[in-house]
Amino acid sequence: LKTLIRRKTIIIFLSIIGIFTSSIFALSKKRVWKGDFQIVLEKKNNASPLSAIDPIFARLALPGSGSSQLQTEVEILKSPYVLVNAYEFVKSKSKGKLEELRFQDWLKKLDIKLLRGTKILNIDYQDTNKDMILDVLNQISISYQNYSKLSENRDFELGTKFYEEQIKLHKIKASNYLKEIQDYASLHD
């Protein structure tokens, strides 16, 4: 205690310098703004064409259910395939140095995670330009909606193709059975 009292001028001087430099640093640092939104990752119809015929076979043929499918969906939503439009939007609206911004560097501004125990995807975006956050979040939302529509259309196309092939197969089988019945009937009167 006596040592601190003897050195009080040095302690006060260092405290003032520390407060002054930290104030300058805090005032010179750009503010970072944050926006977020949430997406529910649940498809309305998870049934595959195979599950209508044989649910056990469908589970074996289509591995990955529950959380692994959700994790896969989250990783797809983090991919450049989905986020490239938002990234290009940021590059086009940014000035100067951000024109050279790489996708991986821009992705660090995004925090995309699945809320524990739910099917809700939380997307946070941080930027120093407050006015651009809402526009970027809208771009990301539009990109996710477009991906979702493409995914649903692809599932519908695959289901339709599967059923068309099954109809053709059963028509062939039916005609073969009819021919066998007619041959049997003509043979045995």
Side-chain angles (χ1 to χ4, degrees):
L1 186 60
K2 289 181 181 178
T3 305
L4 291 176
I5 293 173
R6 275 184 285 170
R7 307 219 190 258
K8 67 181 174 186
T9 56
I10 294 174
I11 293 172
I12 292 172
F13 179 71
L14 291 176
S15 298
I16 290 172
I17 289 176
I19 291 171
F20 181 72
T21 55
S22 61
S23 298
I24 290 175
F25 177 74
L27 293 174
S28 67
K29 188 169 173 85
K30 288 185 177 182
R31 289 182 181 224
V32 176
W33 302 93
K34 179 181 177 182
D36 66 346
F37 69 99
Q38 295 178 334
I39 296 175
V40 178
L41 295 177
E42 183 174 10
K43 292 188 178 186
K44 292 177 184 169
N45 185 8
N46 287 336
S48 73
L50 296 174
S51 63
I53 297 168
D54 188 357
I56 295 171
F57 178 73
R59 274 187 254 134
L60 294 173
L62 300 170
S65 62
S67 65
S68 65
Q69 278 185 331
L70 286 176
Q71 285 300 107
T72 302
E73 193 73 17
V74 169
E75 291 304 315
I76 289 171
L77 295 176
K78 286 181 184 180
S79 72
Y81 176 75
V82 176
L83 294 174
V84 72
N85 291 337
Y87 167 68
E88 291 297 329
F89 175 79
V90 169
K91 276 181 61 173
S92 70
K93 296 292 182 183
S94 299
K95 300 172 188 101
K97 64 180 180 181
L98 285 182
E99 291 175 3
E100 298 174 8
L101 181 66
R102 293 176 359 135
F103 180 80
Q104 293 300 325
D105 296 334
W106 174 76
L107 196 57
K108 291 176 185 173
K109 293 182 176 188
L110 278 172
D111 185 23
I112 302 173
K113 30 180 184 179
L114 192 62
L115 296 180
R116 177 177 268 178
T118 67
K119 295 180 180 183
I120 298 174
L121 184 68
N122 194 41
I123 295 128
D124 294 333
Y125 179 70
Q126 297 180 351
D127 202 335
T128 55
N129 187 348
K130 179 181 179 181
D131 299 327
M132 207 164 72
I133 289 179
L134 187 59
D135 295 332
V136 172
L137 290 175
N138 285 333
Q139 275 299 117
I140 293 171
S141 175
I142 289 168
S143 296
Y144 284 168
Q145 290 171 12
N146 290 341
Y147 165 74
S148 178
K149 288 176 188 173
L150 286 174
S151 178
E152 286 177 14
N153 289 343
R154 178 74 176 141
D155 290 345
F156 180 75
E157 288 173 11
L158 289 175
T160 304
K161 183 179 178 184
F162 174 78
Y163 286 122
E164 287 172 354
E165 289 173 1
Q166 290 299 312
I167 290 171
K168 288 178 187 175
L169 178 70
H170 288 288
K171 280 184 180 179
I172 293 169
K173 284 182 179 180
S175 68
N176 288 342
Y177 289 140
L178 184 62
K179 184 179 178 200
E180 285 180 24
I181 290 170
Q182 288 173 347
D183 290 345
Y184 182 80
S186 66
L187 181 67
H188 295 293
D189 222 6

